[in-house]
Amino acid sequence: AQSVTQLDSQVPVFEEAPVELRCNYSSSVSVYLFWYVQYPNQGLQLLLKYLSGSTLVESINGFEAEFNKSQTSFHLRKPSVHISDTAEYFCAVSVSSYGKLTFGQGTILTVHP
Amino acid sequence: EAGVAQSPRYKIIEKRQSVAFWCNPISGHATLYWYQQILGQGPKLLIQFQNNGVVDDSQLPKDRFSAERLKGVDSTLKIQPAKLEDSAVYLCASSLRQSEKLFFGSGTQLSVL
């Protein structure tokens, strides 16, 4: 079985500051890794994914995450956040390329002006 | 394209009552998922359908929860009778095929009093 731990339940930051949301996973088999974002009153949206290849993956809105197999981590980073990045972020794993997802507990990112 | 549609958006019931949620996936999507998201936790998979067949219902509390997707299109999730611990957001997601990208609906927020 797989499990995902998001180490911070809430992360408050000021606008234009850098941010890192931490995610660690546990699995006895190889997994695929995802970050989903949930804006207020909206459904979950895929932010970025690691399926294979380069361990550093990027989203279209400036987020990036690096797959670290030795540390079983997939931390999400952004060098400069905006107010509009305020949302809840979920790390997830799957043993198939998408398929059934096992989610972490979520991290609420609040960006203050 | 139209997204995953869910209704109702909110539902408040008393314990021991019955409730049903409806999901209409994106047109042509063969795979449909129901997730339960309890406050402060990540979504947990309840059941996965491939067309009108069940692929995985190992985490569905079958003594009170049931789900169907009779024509392989829309789906209904039912709880009978509801307990206080069933208070959660119920998310529906669909994908074109298994191991393809998931698209989530906005969810149904259930409060059991």
Side-chain angles (χ1 to χ4, degrees):
Chain A
Q2 297 76 44
S3 66
V4 178
T5 301
Q6 291 182 241
L7 298 164
D8 306 294
S9 59
Q10 297 191 54
V11 174
V13 294
F14 287 107
E15 195 172 18
E16 298 183 5
V19 71
E20 178 181 80
L21 307 183
R22 296 179 292 169
C23 171
N24 287 93
Y25 69 92
S26 173
S27 177
S28 57
V29 299
S30 295
V31 294
Y32 302 92
L33 296 151
F34 307 84
W35 276 98
Y36 279 80
V37 58
Q38 189 171 31
Y39 298 104
N41 298 312
Q42 295 186 28
L44 284 161
Q45 301 173 37
L46 180 64
L47 184 62
L48 48 74
K49 62 187 183 294
Y50 171 76
L51 301 181
S52 64
S54 172
T55 57
L56 183 65
V57 291
E58 298 177 355
S59 72
I60 59 172
N61 58 351
F63 282 94
E64 64 177 31
E66 186 161 19
F67 169 51
N68 187 319
K69 189 174 182 180
S70 62
Q71 297 185 7
T72 61
S73 68
F74 191 55
H75 300 331
L76 182 69
R77 302 183 182 94
K78 190 171 185 179
S80 176
V81 294
H82 301 130
I83 297 287
S84 59
D85 293 324
T86 294
E88 189 162 17
Y89 292 79
F90 292 92
C91 183
V93 301
S94 175
V95 296
S96 58
S97 57
Y98 281 96
K100 292 184 295 183
L101 296 167
T102 299
F103 286 90
Q105 304 91 322
T107 297
I108 298 173
L109 173 64
T110 305
V111 182
H112 298 285
Chain B
E1 63 181 6
V4 176
Q6 290 189 247
S7 68
R9 186 71 180 90
Y10 302 95
K11 189 73 176 178
I12 300 174
I13 62 172
E14 294 186 350
K15 61 182 179 182
R16 291 189 288 274
Q17 285 187 320
S18 302
V19 65
F21 314 125
W22 175 81
C23 172
N24 190 17
I26 293 173
S27 178
H29 280 198
T31 309
L32 186 147
Y33 306 81
W34 283 102
Y35 282 84
Q36 179 193 56
Q37 185 177 8
I38 294 173
L39 187 65
Q41 300 180 22
K44 182 186 81 172
L45 179 69
L46 292 176
I47 189 167
Q48 177 187 351
F49 291 95
Q50 180 67 22
N51 296 309
N52 61 350
V54 175
V55 175
D56 184 351
D57 62 358
S58 57
Q59 298 193 85
L60 187 73
K62 299 181 187 63
D63 57 332
R64 298 184 300 107
F65 285 64
S66 64
E68 60 183 15
R69 195 184 182 200
L70 292 176
K71 297 183 179 178
V73 181
D74 55 350
S75 176
T76 302
L77 177 69
K78 297 179 181 178
I79 308 175
Q80 181 180 11
K83 292 185 175 182
L84 297 177
E85 59 261 37
D86 298 331
S87 294
V89 176
Y90 291 85
L91 298 168
C92 180
S94 70
S95 62
L96 191 60
R97 288 176 288 274
Q98 290 192 65
S99 300
E100 294 274 348
K101 179 180 176 180
L102 271 67
F103 294 84
F104 283 84
S106 298
T108 294
Q109 184 171 330
L110 173 67
S111 297
V112 182
L113 306 178

